[in-house]
Amino acid sequence: MTDSQTTGTARVKRGLAEMLRGGVIMDVVDPEQARIAQDAGAVAVMALERVPSDIRRDGGVARMSDPAMIEGIQKVATIPVMAKCRIGHFAEAQVLESLGVDYIDESEVLTPADEAYHVDKWVFTTPFVCGATNLGEALRRINEGACMIRSKGEAGTGNIVEAVRHLRSIFGSIAEAAAANPKDLKALAKEMRVPKALLQEVAARGELPVPLFCAGGIATPADASLAMQLGAQAVFVGSGIFKSEAPEVMAKAIVEATTHFQDPAIVAKVSTGLPGAMRGDEIKTLEVKLAERGW
Amino acid sequence: MKVGVLALQGAFREQREVCEALGASVTEVRVPEQLGALDALVIPGGESTTMARLLGTSGLRDPLGALLRDGLPVFGTCAGLILLATTILDGLPGQECFGVLDVTVRRNGYGRQQESFETTLDVVGAPAFPGVFIRAPVVEAVGPGVEILAEHRGDPVLVREGVRYGATFHPELSGDLRLHEQFLHAARAA
């Protein structure tokens, strides 16, 4: 028997993502919202100063949250606490790691800090989640050390259409890779700018080597069920809960719909008489498309 | 052998795969109708507060609790152990669920994710077992009927009370089937 122990391994970093499966990760901006989310059954909270719909409305540069705000949420949350850094902003990521957040989201919802490089995520003990719109982007992030991938649906819109596109694109490309012959796979890996071995692993498994969650535009229990039925393993809900008319009720309903996504009668029951969902936006009316950030 | 895997949330897929690899027929359990004629139950890792809430909303808490009190063999890993424990420290109010395994367990006893770790465990009957600990709970006390099957740094990490097994780590993520094999063997004999 040995007393030694090793932290920050790929196994424990990916493992936490696996523990979140079938759950709902909720954006919260203060300790009171964190408490509501936790009591409603969230598996984790994302601590940020403004939910995406407010970031979108306010404009300007969106940065990492004030550490005091994150610490306030850590004090009340017994479930994992995630926080966002800007794309490529490894110094913000270092700050979040020093605060002891459980997962770092290198997020397009904040204003990108680097036009060439994402954060080298292998060097961190804290695991990272990154957004992706297609398989190549997902694999580039995994190759940089991401331990969880989420879709990059247009945050803050309450419109699920973009997340659906991303999920369908990723699963469609995985199916293509699984059916491809070795020569085509090599060409595909080159086109995606990812190591051939990584694409071969995905082709052999028929899925990503890390969990794939849905994020962006989930505003109702049925949205969560749709994302899960399309193959997402858990859902992030940003503005959809605390911009709805009754956050506590909406949070509980989305949690139940995510677990029972295959059971329309339960999704119907939790959707019945639900106070208003967030208003939402048509994608074509947007001035800024967040999903286009990152590459 | 029919094994139910509680599938409200968490790593139920890995538990299913391990049990199937050992020849069990697995039912994912989300609603009371899926509880019929189980020979054993596995409760996966995940978020214990979420599972506790969903046990209530799904209507599973009472019928499942009755089956467990009647002696249904059960193996809880991490959050699953928390749901089985008689006493939970640092939980949410009212989180105690089944109370069928006589241990006192502290949620996130090692701290946050940065403290998650891997080690090698000397398990009774399964030497050099890979220990994967993720925001793991710590067993702080065990009742007189509880057997300690493995320890790490002086704390029990695998315990057994009759056919009720609890691990603070994740054998289902380790690729090593020996503990599930032990459990299913004990469940079959019960």
Side-chain angles (χ1 to χ4, degrees):
Chain A
M1 179 167 103
T2 169
D3 253 12
S4 71
Q5 54 185 49
T6 315
T7 57
T9 62
R11 183 66 272 158
V12 298
K13 288 160 81 173
R14 292 179 181 184
L16 181 57
E18 282 150 8
M19 295 307 139
L20 301 176
R21 282 214 200 98
V24 182
I25 300 151
M26 303 184 191
D27 278 6
V28 296
V29 300
D30 59 37
E32 176 58 15
Q33 289 189 355
R35 193 194 55 72
I36 291 170
Q38 179 165 272
D39 289 347
V43 288
V45 291
M46 177 73 71
L48 73 177
E49 272 169 358
R50 293 173 292 171
V51 295
S53 62
D54 288 340
I55 292 175
R56 197 177 274 290
R57 186 200 60 206
D58 296 350
V61 174
R63 310 180 178 91
M64 174 186 78
S65 297
D66 182 341
M69 177 269 162
I70 294 169
E71 285 170 338
I73 287 170
Q74 285 175 317
K75 279 202 184 79
V76 304
T78 69
I79 58 180
V81 175
M82 305 185 177
K84 292 181 192 292
C85 73
R86 284 179 263 176
I87 289 174
H89 205 316
F90 55 85
E92 284 187 349
Q94 289 162 354
V95 170
L96 296 176
E97 172 149 279
S98 83
L99 294 174
V101 306
D102 295 287
Y103 240 91
I104 298 171
D105 184 3
E106 186 181 17
S107 176
E108 73 282 0
V109 168
L110 306 184
T111 309
D114 193 320
E115 293 179 336
Y117 297 102
H118 283 68
V119 173
D120 172 11
K121 294 164 271 286
W122 295 112
V123 301
F124 288 80
T125 300
T126 309
F128 277 73
V129 51
C130 288
T133 58
N134 58 53
L135 181 59
E137 197 175 357
L139 296 182
R140 288 191 292 278
R141 298 294 87 78
I142 291 167
N143 200 39
E144 295 157 359
C147 294
M148 180 203 299
I149 296 295
R150 55 170 178 75
S151 63
K152 233 171 161 182
E154 276 300 305
T157 62
N159 191 335
I160 193 75
V161 66
E162 294 292 307
V164 167
R165 186 209 318 281
H166 303 162
L167 291 173
R168 285 201 184 279
S169 167
I170 292 169
F171 288 119
S173 297
I174 290 175
E176 274 173 38
N181 65 45
K183 194 170 150 238
D184 290 346
L185 213 52
K186 192 176 166 190
L188 198 57
K190 196 170 173 202
E191 188 186 308
M192 290 178 176
R193 290 172 282 136
V194 299
K196 195 178 64 179
L198 181 58
L199 187 60
Q200 280 168 336
E201 184 189 351
V202 169
R205 292 167 58 114
E207 64 176 1
L208 297 179
V210 305
L212 172 61
F213 292 3
C214 179
I218 291 176
T220 67
D223 286 347
S225 172
L226 176 66
M228 296 293 286
Q229 290 190 58
L230 287 172
Q233 297 176 352
V235 299
F236 284 81
V237 185
S239 320
I241 288 170
F242 289 99
K243 287 293 176 186
S244 72
E245 285 175 18
E248 204 168 334
V249 182
M250 183 61 85
K252 288 177 180 170
I254 293 179
V255 166
E256 284 189 59
T258 303
T259 286
H260 300 287
F261 70 93
Q262 293 161 310
D263 192 333
I266 294 180
V267 179
K269 190 184 91 186
V270 301
S271 303
T272 303
L274 207 53
M278 68 178 289
R279 187 176 166 276
D281 296 304
E282 267 277 11
I283 302 299
K284 61 175 181 260
T285 66
L286 301 177
E287 286 175 21
V288 179
K289 285 190 77 180
L290 302 176
E292 291 170 358
R293 295 169 165 178
W295 45 90
Chain B
M1 181 166 197
K2 263 191 82 176
V3 176
V5 173
L6 189 67
L8 294 171
Q9 191 273 317
F12 50 85
R13 191 177 92 178
E14 285 79 3
Q15 296 283 13
R16 178 192 186 109
E17 287 165 359
V18 171
C19 293
E20 283 178 345
L22 290 166
S25 149
V26 172
T27 307
E28 291 187 358
V29 176
R30 294 185 182 82
V31 292
E33 294 72 44
Q34 291 160 334
L35 281 176
L38 296 180
D39 301 309
L41 179 77
V42 175
I43 307 181
E47 178 45 55
S48 62
T49 56
T50 302
M51 288 191 224
R53 196 184 143 66
L54 288 164
L55 278 168
T57 58
S58 65
L60 275 170
R61 182 188 296 243
D62 291 342
L64 195 47
L67 286 173
L68 292 171
R69 282 189 299 279
D70 279 352
L72 178 69
V74 63
F75 188 7
T77 62
C78 198
L81 165 62
I82 295 171
L83 296 183
L84 295 174
T86 46
T87 309
I88 302 170
L89 305 176
D90 292 344
L92 294 184
Q95 200 193 325
E96 270 81 2
C97 271
F98 299 125
V100 294
L101 185 56
D102 191 8
V103 297
T104 298
V105 63
R106 186 177 294 282
R107 282 180 68 218
N108 307 328
Y110 296 93
R112 299 183 177 281
Q113 171 64 11
Q114 284 170 18
E115 272 66 57
S116 293
F117 62 93
E118 290 188 68
T119 188
T120 304
L121 301 169
D122 192 11
V123 179
V124 173
F129 195 91
V132 181
F133 292 77
I134 298 172
R135 281 174 54 98
V138 169
V139 174
E140 298 203 344
V142 302
V146 175
E147 188 184 348
I148 296 170
L149 299 175
E151 291 185 339
H152 178 64
R153 296 190 173 173
D155 294 315
V157 295
L158 179 66
V159 295
R160 178 174 92 117
E161 188 175 15
V163 285
R164 294 161 183 160
Y165 285 69
T168 62
F169 56 100
H170 294 284
E172 74 280 12
L173 297 188
S174 68
D176 192 319
L177 307 182
R178 287 178 291 166
L179 297 188
H180 284 78
E181 200 171 10
Q182 272 189 27
F183 166 66
L184 292 181
H185 183 77
R188 210 172 280 123

